[in-house]
Amino acid sequence: QLVCYQFGKPALTEVKIVSSNKGQSRVHLYPITGRTHQLRVHMAHQQGLHAPIVGDELYGIAAERLLLHAGLLQFTHPVTLKPVRFESTAPF
């Protein structure tokens, strides 16, 4: 949950700005690697976007809730080895 240049593993996230209004932006984040807290760190870190996700009390400022939503999750099921896909629109 921190950036370690000596022992840390690389992490890559693609970012697409969807809209921006009054100092807040809605973005789509596409994690290329799968590191713990990757999206939250990339948004908040001063060498990343330096813009914590709204409601991220660990890396930013608490709010009513964390405004982070997975619109698509896709993976290979560990037992059946079949692809599994879940899609959901953002509730906000």
Side-chain angles (χ1 to χ4, degrees), residues 40-88:
R40 294 167 67 189
V41 171
H42 284 172
M43 289 297 297
H45 197 272
Q46 58 270 25
Q47 291 182 340
L49 294 177
H50 199 50
I53 297 170
V54 173
D56 188 344
E57 53 189 64
L58 182 59
Y59 299 105
I61 299 170
E64 185 177 327
R65 70 181 213 54
L66 176 65
L67 294 185
L68 177 62
H69 174 78
L72 171 67
L73 294 173
Q74 185 172 313
F75 58 92
T76 301
H77 191 281
V79 175
T80 66
L81 302 178
K82 293 182 179 179
V84 179
R85 180 181 173 106
F86 300 96
E87 290 186 65
S88 176

Side-chain angles (χ1 to χ4, degrees), residues 1 4 9 20 22 34 39 44-45 49 65 69 75 86 92:
Q1 297 162 11
C4 178
K9 296 178 181 178
S20 188
K22 297 181 182 177
L39 301 178
H45 197 272
L49 294 177
R65 70 181 213 54
H69 174 78
F75 58 92
F86 300 96
F92 45 84

